[in-house]
Amino acid sequence: MPPAEPSAEPDAVPADHGSAGRSGTEPSGSSADGSSADGSAGVEDTLDLELTEELLALIAGERSAGAGRTRVTHELLGDPGAWPPALTAAGEFALLPVRPERDLAVVSRWMNDPAVAAFWELAGPESVTADHLRPQLEGDGRSIPCLGVLDGTPMSYWEIYRADLDPLARHYPARPHDTGVHLLIGGVNNRGRGVGTSLIRAVADLVLDNLPRCGRVVAEPDLRNTPSVSAFLSAGFRFSAEVDLPDKRAALMIRDRTYRAQL
């Protein structure tokens, strides 16, 4: 479906490379907090994924050493790993850019969770997840894959991306610096109890606080995924429109900087 109005950046042609915007799927677990589309809190054969002590130690070291480390800052989105942690009802939450040598195994395990695979469609060997991450990691910084770390424990996966430079921009009236989010919650203990809603709000606030030129945070959950749409609404997003994407009909959700204090 063509945009209702021309893009605000007609000479900025959205490109597929380096993009997180697999517009045909809703990469948010089963819902924004991992519930299935019928409102259930996961599936019976979905287990919490135990994280190794080595991985947890690496994550802790990454966070504590970050201030003294030279960071690679992308021009388009900056460095989410340098953004201050957010205090949420669920605990202290931070984004940590993915490093495949450290994170590929756990992200791949999350992708093979049936409740996640139904929407991300990345189940399979680690090479499948690696192929999904590679264009983002080797791209120009228009999409940054991150771990979501809650109280020191990695428990979710996020993609922060420039929606105005993504294929999604072909399907709605994008504005310059619109920034999109995709997410999945990695363990059933964090699903179905409002954690997803808290983290969506936190990440939207982190984007708006750290990207001053961004006026809107956008998302496009599957319109049939009522729990996901509800979670975005509860996190201060508004329903903007129904959009026809290549593989789904989506609910375009927008959180406006102007109204963030009221929603």
Side-chain angles (χ1 to χ4, degrees):
M1 183 173 66
E5 62 187 49
S7 169
E9 286 187 321
D11 55 343
V13 179
D16 292 328
H17 68 282
S19 166
R22 293 163 46 252
S23 300
T25 61
E26 166 47 26
S28 60
S30 299
S31 71
D33 58 5
S35 299
S36 63
D38 62 1
S40 61
V43 294
E44 292 181 357
D45 58 350
T46 300
L47 301 177
D48 276 326
L49 302 173
E50 294 185 3
L51 301 169
T52 66
E53 293 184 3
E54 180 181 8
L55 175 60
L56 293 173
L58 285 170
I59 295 294
E62 184 92 2
R63 294 298 303 170
S64 61
R69 207 175 58 246
T70 300
R71 293 183 177 274
V72 177
T73 300
H74 295 293
E75 180 180 350
L76 295 175
L77 287 169
D79 178 12
W83 298 350
L87 294 179
T88 75
E92 184 180 86
F93 180 78
L95 292 171
L96 192 64
V98 165
R99 287 170 40 196
E101 67 275 15
R102 180 196 63 202
D103 306 323
L104 178 59
V106 69
V107 175
S108 179
R109 289 167 68 190
W110 288 340
M111 292 298 184
N112 279 278
D113 178 327
V116 172
F119 290 89
W120 282 78
E121 300 179 349
L122 291 174
E126 289 184 5
S127 60
V128 175
T129 299
D131 289 344
H132 176 74
L133 294 172
R134 188 176 299 110
Q136 300 177 74
L137 297 172
E138 297 178 357
D140 60 4
R142 69 182 62 195
S143 176
I144 302 179
C146 297
L147 290 183
V149 181
L150 185 64
D151 287 336
T153 299
M155 47 69 66
S156 54
Y157 171 76
W158 300 74
E159 292 173 349
I160 312 299
Y161 68 99
R162 278 287 296 269
D164 60 327
L165 304 179
D166 187 84
L168 174 64
R170 301 170 186 152
H171 302 278
Y172 83 105
R175 297 178 185 174
H177 302 281
D178 277 358
T179 300
V181 295
H182 294 146
L183 70 141
L184 67 85
I185 304 298
V188 295
N189 284 345
N190 291 309
R191 298 177 184 169
R193 57 188 184 92
V195 172
T197 294
S198 295
L199 300 189
I200 290 170
R201 179 181 290 274
V203 169
D205 284 340
L206 285 172
V207 169
L208 293 173
D209 287 342
N210 291 280
L211 299 177
R213 299 176 73 184
C214 170
R216 308 190 301 179
V217 183
V218 306
E220 25 78 29
D222 193 304
L223 187 64
R224 299 167 299 174
N225 196 338
T226 304
S228 181
V229 175
S230 177
F232 278 101
L233 289 170
S234 297
F237 285 69
R238 61 180 172 86
F239 176 81
S240 176
E242 297 181 12
V243 292
D244 288 309
L245 302 181
D247 296 323
K248 68 179 179 183
R249 189 163 180 80
L252 180 67
M253 310 298 297
I254 295 178
R255 187 163 190 216
D256 300 274
R257 178 183 294 277
T258 303
Y259 304 113
R260 64 184 295 200
Q262 288 76 42
L263 296 173

